[in-house]
């Protein structure tokens, strides 16, 4: 139910992805699960092993999409937030998709894509197990702050 | 096997110094350093002598399971792969059934079937519509900038949307049975945990006409295109091999239970009614120093060694959609059987070209939709007897099921209390390993001359591998993604040409 | 029986003389997180999750074993306590091998619930990766010590309610572990009556019914309280 104000609450989807059994690769899902616990009425969080093309159907129903993924560390250990551009038309997809691909598919098929951000969390250890390394754990805390900010900023009037 | 694989890791570096050979390396880069690459060896005259599909990273997944109670295995193994969790779930539950020595209640077996059909549709739809269709629909030599899903969407938007809806349909079947979670531990040793609700049945039923129309249209479109691809059909892994798959007692198409059948390229049944749980009697698993992916072969005909690579009467076999259609006599549903007949008109007794894996996938999607429709009308589906209770009655069990990519074996050994001692998984991509190697060699021989790496050859190697829809995440971490890194290596071992094609 | 009045989080509440802060708060509808506490058996104050602040004392007190005192001013949810609790939960995670995604208790686990309740987003401590044993030799139950948090609920229900005292503790400090009989396989225990009270008491996935799969383990804690009420008050309320 929407309240009658000038601010229409924006719908948000947060999609965290990666393998839950490959160490830090699962940090995206862990973040998504933490967002579920926020219980925000306008925010849907999805934890998934990988991005799949049918997620396009969710993307076309939201105003803002935030993707959360692990990223093998370079020298810097910080969480990064990137605006996502549509993938170029020259891209190919495989068994997994990238966020920009999903957006581009949404745009191509339905003529719409939401505004989107990619939050990458530094990751060190991809060995079997569902433990997150300290780097990924710190990244998760930082990422959750970024997400809160993104959701608040982007869905505020 | 694990130790062997590890010890080979060190030998492999010397191996690459093989002299008097040029080498082309196609090296896919995956998201997390999983590695599979293709090397093509050239002789001094620039002619292709051999090709190898390497898997250069190994994740000791089997190790992770040791010491766990048997009953947790379906839930654990379903998590090794995001591509076909249901296939592992079912094979694992079936291995558990054997260890408990139970026959699962009929309703549970039917519900498991239903979920497997959902998995086949979902997986085949991704493979065909999103990975492979651009190659056919837009042309193998068309501009790589538009030879992709977007080109497809622009050219055939209805087909592209249909592909997404088919995937969703398969996914919905899985979710209605197993719950919202992506990795349901819904199938368990002895049966399944939850029934299908009538409301769930209605939801699936309602979508059947739409998805059936979608797949029939896609089949029509594909068949129109076939004539343009005669060359691909000839070169895409078009060689005689055995085919292996499950069939029913009557020899019909099977995807969950049944017996193993091998046919040769002449369509002759060379082994039939094999008990899949005794796979070790007819499948050997060779290990090569240059790959972590094992090389299963049909044991009675033996493994192809380096010296007799050109021999054809070896134990090389293929699994997956093409193999399943080649080993069965009928599918058992009217529309799919009609398509099967047309499909068979393409080849002789069997359809040999791996190119037709795509075609076979479309037919299997149709067959799966028809099967789902039949299953939903079965009143026994709603029985509330869903789980046979028993304890450890055998210390070893093999679970076999057809995954979208081919026959999947889970083999467990437990102690007398039910803790896992040893795990062996034989995955579809492994079983197609020999055939993938030969496919790459065939394509390379056709297109490579000298030190040039023509764009069209790259596309075809990529597409040739993609025909098998390889997925390595359960045997290694590498995904089936194939951005290419190609190295042309001279006689002295130096790189004389190098091409990267990375994702944009 | 005299009545005491005290304040909990600035709220006046009354309590019976022999009540603990935890019981009094519970009666007043004030939630204090617990883990080793289990209704129906004795309190041990071992897990320290129910620590509260009491005005006039710098020392934190476990609510489950601290009796109410007239005029006491209790705070149950100060930032300091929140910080403490989060750290305790992190330590529990770091000490064992808790893999929620493939655990039988996934979704029905008090440790998991506490992680959510205390806002634990990550474990700041080094994981210990202890080498611990799984015992599924019993024909109805199993124990995975990787998931044991040493709350001793199983030890207490077995001793105090069933009276069998099959469970006990062995080892010291972080090397402690629960044992059956004299550290013999559970299936060979001569004292175990196979009543299953320990399985109902376990807060995590450490004790489970043999044959359960991932996320399937559900417990009936009310059973234990029912038994104690029946025994002590001769009331069989269902």
């Amino acid at each position: 139910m929407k309240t009658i104000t000038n601010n229409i609450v924006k719908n948000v989807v947060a999609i965290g992805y990666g393998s839950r059994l490959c160490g830090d690769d699962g940090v995206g899902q862990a973040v998504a699960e933490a967002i579920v616990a926020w219980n925000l009425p306008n925010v849907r969080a999805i934890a998934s092993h990988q991005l799949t093309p049918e997620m396009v159907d969710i993307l076309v129903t939201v105003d803002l999409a935030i993707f959360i993924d692990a990223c093998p560390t370079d020298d810097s250990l910080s969480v990064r937030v990137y605006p996502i551009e549509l993938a170029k038309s020259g891209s190919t997809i495989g068994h997994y998709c990238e966020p920009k691909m999903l957006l581009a598919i949404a745009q191509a098929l339905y003529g719409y894509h939401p505004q989107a951000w990619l939050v990458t969390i530094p990751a060190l250890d991809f060995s079997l197990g569902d433990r997150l390394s300290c780097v990924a754990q710190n990244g998760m805390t930082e990422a959750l702050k970024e997400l809160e900010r993104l959701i608040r900023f982007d869905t505020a009037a | 096997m694990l130790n062997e694989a590890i010890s080979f890791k060190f030998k492999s570096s010397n191996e690459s110094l093989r002299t008097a050979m040029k080498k082309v390396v196609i090296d896919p880069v995956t998201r997390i350093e999983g590695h599979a690459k293709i090397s093509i060896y050239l002789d001094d005259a620039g002619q292709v002598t051999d090709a190898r599909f390497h898997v250069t990273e190994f994740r000791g997944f089997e190790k992770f399971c040791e010491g766990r109670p048997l009953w947790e295995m379906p839930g654990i193994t379903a998590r090794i792969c995001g591509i076909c969790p249901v296939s592992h779930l079912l094979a694992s539950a079936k291995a558990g059934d054997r260890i408990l020595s139970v026959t699962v209640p009929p309703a549970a077996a039917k519900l498991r079937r239903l979920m497997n059909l959902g998995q086949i549709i979902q997986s085949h739809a991704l493979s065909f519509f999103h990975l492979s269709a651009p190659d056919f629909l837009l042309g193998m030599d068309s501009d790589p900038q538009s030879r992709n899903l977007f080109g497809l969407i622009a050219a055939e938007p209805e087909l592209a949307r249909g592909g997404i809806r088919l995937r969703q349909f398969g996914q919905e079947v899985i979710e209605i049975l197993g719950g919202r979670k992506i990795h349901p531990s819904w199938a368990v040793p002895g049966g399944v945990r939850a029934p299908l609700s009538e409301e769930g049945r209605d939801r699936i039923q309602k979508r059947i006409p739409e998805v059936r129309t979608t797949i029939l249209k896609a089949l029509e479109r594909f068949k129109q295109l076939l004539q343009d691809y005669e060359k691909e059909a000839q070169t895409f892994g078009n060689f005689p091999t055995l085919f292996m798959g499950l069939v029913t007692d009557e020899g019909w198409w099977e995807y969950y239970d049944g017996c193993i059948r091998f046919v040769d390229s002449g369509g002759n049944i060379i082994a039939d009614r094999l008990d899949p749980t005794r796979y070790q009697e007819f499948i050997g698993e060779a290990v090569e120093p240059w790959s972590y992916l094992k090389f299963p072969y049909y044991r009675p005909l033996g493994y192809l060694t380096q010296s007799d690579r050109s021999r054809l009467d070896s134990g090389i076999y293929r699994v997956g959609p093409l193999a399943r259609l080649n080993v069965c006599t009928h599918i058992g549903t009217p529309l799919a059987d009609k398509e099967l007949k047309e499909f068979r008109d393409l080849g002789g007794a069997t359809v040999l070209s791996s190119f037709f894996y795509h075609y076979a996938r479309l037919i299997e999607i149709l067959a799966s939709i028809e099967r789902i429709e039949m299953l939903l009308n079965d009143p026994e589906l709603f029985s509330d007897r869903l789980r046979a209770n028993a304890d450890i009655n055998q210390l070893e069990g093999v679970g076999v099921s057809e995954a979208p990519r081919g026959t999947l074996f889970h083999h467990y050994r437990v102690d007398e209390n039910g803790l896992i001692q040893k795990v062996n998984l034989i995955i579809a991509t492994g079983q197609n390993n020999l055939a993938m190697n030969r496919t790459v060699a065939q394509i390379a021989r056709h297109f490579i001359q000298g030190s040039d790496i023509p764009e069209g050859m790259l596309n075809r190697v990529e597409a040739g591998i993609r025909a098998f829809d390889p997925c390595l995440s359960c045997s290694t971490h590498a995904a089936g993604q194939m951005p290419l890194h190609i190295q042309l290596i001279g006689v002295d071992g130096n790189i004389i040409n190098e091409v990267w094609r990375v994702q944009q | 029986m005299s009545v005491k009045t005290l304040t909990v989080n600035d709220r006046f509440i009354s309590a019976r003389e022999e009540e603990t802060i935890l019981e009094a708060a519970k009666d007043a509808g004030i939630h204090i997180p617990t883990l080793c506490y289990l209704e129906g058996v004795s309190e041990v104050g071992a897990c320290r999750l129910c620590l509260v602040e009491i005005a006039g004392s710098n020392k934190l007190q476990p609510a489950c074993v601290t009796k109410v005192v007239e005029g006491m001013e209790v705070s149950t949810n100060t930032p300091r306590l929140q910080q403490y609790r989060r750290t305790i939960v992190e330590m529990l995670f770091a000490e064992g091998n808790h893999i929620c995604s493939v655990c039988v208790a996934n979704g029905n686990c008090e440790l998991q619930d506490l992680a959510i309740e205390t806002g634990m987003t990550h474990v700041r401590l080094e994981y210990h990766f202890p080498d611990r044993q799984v015992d599924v030799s019993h024909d109805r139950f199993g124990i995975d010590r990787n998931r044991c948090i040493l709350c001793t609920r199983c030890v207490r229900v077995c001793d105090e309610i069933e009276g069998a005292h099959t469970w006990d503790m062995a080892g010291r400090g972080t090397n402690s572990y629960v044992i059956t009989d004299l550290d013999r396989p559970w299936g060979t225990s001569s004292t175990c009556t196979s009543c299953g009270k320990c399985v109902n008491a376990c807060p995590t996935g450490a004790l489970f019914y043999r044959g359960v799969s991932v996320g399937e383990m559900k417990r009936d804690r009310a059973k234990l309280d029912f038994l104690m009420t029946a025994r002590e008050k001769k009331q069989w309320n269902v």
Side-chain angles (χ1 to χ4, degrees), chain A residues 130-131 137-138 140-141 144, chain C residues 97-99 122-123 127 129:
Chain A
D130 78 344
R131 292 296 159 74
Q137 289 188 16
N138 291 333
M140 178 169 166
T141 313
L144 283 167
Chain C
N97 295 309
H98 300 277
I99 305 184
H122 67 279
V123 176
Y127 285 108
F129 298 108

Side-chain angles (χ1 to χ4, degrees), chain B residues 182-458:
Chain B
I182 305 279
H183 307 296
S185 181
W186 168 81
V188 290
V192 300
R193 271 164 56 171
L196 171 67
S197 65
E198 305 221 351
E199 185 254 324
R201 189 254 327 259
D202 296 344
R203 266 168 65 201
I204 301 172
Q205 224 155 23
K206 226 172 50 206
R207 292 196 63 181
I208 286 180
E210 177 218 328
V211 289
R212 189 172 43 214
T213 307
T214 304
I215 191 65
L216 286 171
K217 274 194 199 149
L219 267 162
E220 261 339 287
R221 188 78 190 88
F222 184 81
K223 285 186 285 188
Q224 286 165 10
L225 290 164
L226 273 179
Q227 58 214 27
D228 302 340
Y229 287 95
E230 257 172 66
K231 193 169 175 188
E232 277 73 22
Q234 281 162 16
T235 53
F236 269 49
N238 185 16
F239 46 77
T241 63
L242 306 177
F243 292 95
M244 188 197 86
L246 292 172
V247 289
T248 65
D249 286 345
E250 303 84 37
W252 292 17
W253 184 72
E254 178 54 71
Y255 54 94
Y256 166 77
D257 229 331
C259 310
I260 296 272
R261 174 182 280 178
F262 281 88
V263 300
D264 68 12
S265 50
N268 308 302
I269 297 173
I270 61 158
D272 202 10
R273 297 180 169 274
L274 298 172
D275 177 355
T277 64
R278 296 166 69 170
Y279 74 92
Q280 284 170 317
E281 291 170 14
F282 49 87
I283 294 174
E285 291 183 87
V287 175
E288 288 281 5
W290 40 269
S291 182
Y292 283 132
L293 192 58
K294 287 188 249 179
F295 294 80
Y297 60 96
Y298 179 56
R299 200 183 272 282
L301 290 181
Y303 182 63
L304 203 70
T305 60
Q306 194 60 50
S307 56
D308 53 14
R309 290 230 138 214
S310 55
R311 264 178 60 202
L312 293 177
D313 57 343
S314 75
I316 177 172
Y317 67 94
R318 283 181 267 180
V319 296
L322 182 67
R324 285 192 290 258
L325 294 194
N326 277 334
V327 298
C328 71
T329 56
H330 294 85
I331 288 177
T333 56
L335 295 173
D337 266 326
K338 192 166 142 275
E339 295 294 337
L340 180 65
K341 193 167 168 302
E342 262 186 74
F343 173 77
R344 290 211 165 131
D345 291 342
L346 288 171
T350 55
V351 177
L352 298 181
S353 170
S354 294
F355 184 75
F356 293 119
Y357 264 98
H358 303 300
Y359 191 176
R361 260 177 218 120
L362 293 179
I363 297 176
E364 284 201 326
I365 293 176
L366 177 60
S368 300
I369 293 169
E370 287 185 286
R371 277 295 170 90
I372 288 176
E373 194 176 12
M374 285 163 67
L375 269 171
L376 291 180
N377 291 322
D378 186 338
E380 201 178 19
L381 213 55
F382 300 96
S383 158
D384 49 10
R385 290 191 185 280
L386 294 173
R387 195 164 175 176
N389 289 311
D391 213 296
I392 306 300
N393 288 307
Q394 289 183 62
L395 298 185
E396 220 165 317
V398 179
V400 184
S401 181
E402 287 286 343
R405 284 159 196 77
T407 321
L408 173 66
F409 297 80
H410 276 215
H411 182 182
Y412 306 152
R413 198 189 307 142
V414 297
D415 69 10
E416 64 266 35
N417 295 322
L419 295 183
I420 295 285
Q421 308 260 284
K422 197 166 184 300
V423 172
N424 189 32
L425 308 182
I426 304 187
I427 57 152
T429 300
Q431 296 171 90
N432 285 329
N433 201 356
L434 286 169
M436 282 194 287
N437 276 279
R438 203 180 272 181
T439 301
V440 173
Q442 198 175 41
I443 294 166
R445 278 194 198 100
H446 209 90
F447 288 96
I448 285 197
Q449 253 94 41
S451 61
D452 278 346
I453 306 169
E455 174 79 19
M457 181 267 169
L458 283 189

Side-chain angles (χ1 to χ4, degrees), chain B residues 84-97:
Chain B
C84 53
V86 169
S87 308
H88 286 287
L89 181 75
L90 295 181
S92 181
K94 290 187 78 182
D97 299 342

Side-chain angles (χ1 to χ4, degrees), chain A residues 17-18 21-22 25 49-50 52-54 57 69-70 72 88-96 98 100-101 104-105 108-109 126-129, chain B residues 31-32 59-61 64 79 81-83 126 130-131 145 148-150 153 157 160-161 164 167-168 183 405 469-470 477 479-481 503-504:
Chain A
Y17 58 100
L21 277 189
C22 288
D25 198 32
H49 196 110
Q50 61 193 347
T52 52
E54 64 273 17
D57 280 28
D69 190 12
K88 288 178 203 150
S89 62
S91 318
T92 51
I93 73 167
H95 284 142
Y96 64 87
E98 285 184 67
K100 61 187 176 186
M101 293 289 302
I105 295 170
L109 276 180
F126 296 101
S127 55
L128 277 172
Chain B
R31 194 159 68 102
I32 305 163
R59 301 256 174 184
F61 176 76
F64 187 78
R79 280 173 178 77
C81 177
I83 312 284
L126 178 69
H130 302 120
L131 305 186
Q145 286 302 305
N148 54 42
L149 183 61
F150 300 105
I153 290 170
R161 272 187 220 119
I164 285 189
R167 246 193 90 80
Q168 246 179 2
H183 307 296
R405 284 159 196 77
D469 195 16
H477 193 76
Q481 186 74 333
Q503 287 234 305
Q504 309 258 317

Side-chain angles (χ1 to χ4, degrees), chain C residues 10-235:
Chain C
D10 300 327
R11 229 181 93 190
F12 275 103
I13 67 168
S14 58
R16 277 173 286 122
E17 183 172 27
E18 73 283 4
E19 275 190 311
T20 61
I21 296 172
L22 183 67
E23 288 164 332
K26 197 181 163 205
D27 290 345
I30 297 166
H31 172 73
I32 300 174
T34 57
L35 192 55
C36 67
Y37 175 80
L38 181 68
E39 218 149 307
V41 292
S42 63
E43 300 85 7
V44 288
C47 73
R48 317 311 277 178
L49 269 159
C50 68
L51 288 179
V52 291
E53 284 181 25
I54 296 168
S57 160
N58 201 30
K59 200 171 160 232
L60 302 174
Q61 299 290 348
C64 68
V65 292
T66 307
K67 294 272 191 289
V68 294
V69 172
E70 182 61 37
M72 197 180 223
E73 291 170 37
V74 180
S75 303
T76 69
N77 203 24
T78 63
R80 180 178 167 212
L81 289 171
Q82 288 169 7
Q83 179 60 39
Y84 248 85
R85 288 184 189 130
R86 190 156 56 232
T87 307
I88 290 165
V89 176
E90 284 176 35
M91 283 161 74
L92 291 171
F93 270 96
E95 259 174 24
N97 295 309
H98 300 277
I99 305 184
C100 298
S101 60
V102 293
C103 177
V104 292
N106 191 11
N108 305 297
C109 171
E110 291 185 33
L111 183 62
Q112 208 175 23
D113 294 346
L114 278 168
I116 295 167
E117 185 183 337
T118 59
M120 184 194 97
T121 54
H122 67 279
V123 176
R124 289 162 295 188
L125 309 154
E126 282 288 315
Y127 285 108
H128 289 198
F129 298 108
D131 185 15
R132 294 191 186 165
Q133 300 305 307
V134 180
D135 179 356
V136 288
S137 60
H138 193 284
D139 61 1
R140 290 180 52 204
F141 316 120
I143 176 162
D144 183 345
R145 293 184 177 86
N146 292 295
R147 303 169 184 152
C148 176
I149 53 167
L150 303 171
C151 67
T152 71
R153 283 188 189 182
C154 53
V155 177
R156 286 174 283 149
V157 291
C158 187
D159 179 44
E160 298 170 22
I161 307 184
E162 181 61 12
H165 202 119
T166 302
W167 290 104
D168 216 324
M169 298 285 292
R172 286 178 170 276
T174 55
N175 293 322
S176 308
Y177 58 104
V178 288
I179 54 169
T180 43
D181 285 359
L182 294 166
D183 205 1
R184 307 302 304 158
W186 193 357
T188 65
S189 166
S190 53
T191 60
C192 176
T193 63
S194 301
C195 70
K197 292 186 184 69
C198 52
V199 179
N200 268 332
C202 181
T204 69
L207 289 168
F208 49 88
Y209 294 116
R210 189 174 169 76
V212 293
S213 56
V214 171
E216 200 181 9
M217 191 57 215
K218 296 201 170 69
R219 299 163 205 283
D220 185 3
R221 309 237 195 274
K223 261 284 160 31
L224 303 168
D225 197 37
F226 164 80
L227 281 175
M228 287 317 277
T229 311
R231 182 174 303 169
E232 288 170 0
K233 299 182 184 159
K234 305 291 176 211
Q235 289 170 6

